[in-house]
Amino acid sequence: MNLSFKKIAGLFMGAMAALTISTTVSASKTKIADVSQYQGNINWYKASKQLKFAIIRVQHGDTGDADFRIDSHKDINANGAYKYKVPFGQYGYAEFSSVADAKKEAKDFYKRSSSKARFYVLDNEHRKGKGSEQSYVNAWLSTMRKLTNKPLVYYSYQNYVNVHKINYSKFDGSWIANYSQKPNVATDLWQYTSKGRLSGISGNVDLSKVIDSKTVNSWLKQSSADVAKPTYFTSVPASRTITTSKNIYQYQDVNFKSRLSKIAAGKKLTVKQVRRSDHGAYRFQLTNGHYITANKEFVSN
């Protein structure tokens, strides 16, 4: 075997090994778990190696309910999932007993949830009110629609849906529990066991299977609310002066291709006009003809 062939063969084998590792890692992220304070302190680094996504509890009931509690690990779990790049939704166990109560519970749930959640879930499995359960569900949904554009998912167990004849077709999807067999009601995500195992969790955990991948994947799309977008000055301040809040650079051109010198934080500058780069970003042109960012994170008036 000549040297060139050895090198080519070595590169090929290395590439194949890397592809195998990558495929194995990707393939291993197939589990879907819902978690709460009852799973204790989750090792999210380990869990992230297996999780496709997680659903994290925020609350059980709401103020006024005898057994109301905010999940003590809601922020710990949300921050852990986010840190290790596990997409997650959040759910609230509902105990509403009227339309007004359902609206209040939706508002409180939303306030207590993480802004990084990709979707929100109504956990509807506890009947309290004397009125129409459907009217409570509808009230929760309409209230949440006014608060967020993120997907809203209906959760319950098979028997509850059948007994109360719940219509959840106006939600962005459904997640139904039934441990004996696949649910006989419409579902996009099936919670099939309460005795699952997951790396990073010492005890049992609920696990679910995807039934409709298109619908479930739509819940995981990153909302614009998850990505911090810079806010720009779009016009020259009345004073025509701005102050740098961080160290920045000035450039010779509006497209920032020719960098000149650094400008220290706290420097006052006089602005001539606002122009936009070829990609649409706003720039300040200074009275010396040079350009700096108009991003409010870096400059203020």
Side-chain angles (χ1 to χ4, degrees), residues 231-237 240 242 251-257 270-295 299:
T231 302
Y232 292 90
F233 287 98
T234 58
S235 60
V236 176
R240 306 194 74 81
I242 53 96
Y251 295 80
Q252 191 170 4
D253 62 297
V254 72
N255 290 315
F256 284 7
K257 291 182 178 179
T270 305
V271 177
K272 179 181 178 181
Q273 64 177 332
V274 170
R275 288 187 57 192
R276 300 186 75 174
S277 72
D278 291 346
H279 297 292
Y282 290 90
R283 318 290 200 200
F284 277 132
Q285 185 180 31
L286 305 177
T287 51
N288 65 5
H290 299 159
Y291 294 87
I292 63 169
T293 181
N295 189 331
V299 293

Side-chain angles (χ1 to χ4, degrees), residues 17 20 32 57 60 76 78 86 89 118 137 140 168 173-174 179 183 202 205 212 247 253 258 287 289 295 297 299:
T20 301
I32 301 163
R57 191 179 75 158
H60 181 107
I76 295 171
V86 177
R118 301 288 179 89
V137 170
W140 186 97
Y168 44 89
S174 56
Y179 299 154
S202 59
V205 64
D212 186 329
N247 293 339
D253 62 297
S258 180
T287 51
N295 189 331
E297 183 180 349
V299 293

Side-chain angles (χ1 to χ4, degrees), residues 17-18 37 40 55 99 127 130 132 145 166 185 188 193 222 239 246 253 262 264:
Q37 66 189 54
I55 310 173
V99 166
R127 173 70 174 162
K130 295 181 180 179
S132 164
R145 288 284 186 220
I166 304 297
V185 295
D188 303 301
T193 183
Q222 193 169 41
S239 65
K246 296 182 180 181
D253 62 297
K262 182 185 289 186

Side-chain angles (χ1 to χ4, degrees), residues 29 32 52-53 87 118-119 151 153 172-173 188-189 210-223:
K29 292 190 174 187
I32 301 163
K52 177 181 174 67
F53 66 92
R118 301 288 179 89
F119 59 95
V153 179
D172 299 303
D188 303 301
L189 184 66
V210 173
I211 302 300
D212 186 329
S213 59
K214 182 178 180 181
T215 297
V216 173
N217 286 338
S218 73
W219 305 346
L220 304 180
K221 288 182 180 178
Q222 193 169 41
S223 164

Side-chain angles (χ1 to χ4, degrees), residues 101-131:
D101 195 23
K103 290 179 178 179
K104 179 182 181 298
E105 191 159 325
K107 291 176 182 177
D108 291 343
F109 165 66
Y110 181 73
K111 287 178 184 176
R112 294 174 183 134
S113 295
S114 169
S115 61
K116 297 179 178 66
R118 301 288 179 89
F119 59 95
Y120 301 105
V121 180
L122 167 61
D123 181 349
N124 177 222
E125 53 181 301
H126 186 98
R127 173 70 174 162
K128 282 183 69 177
K130 295 181 180 179

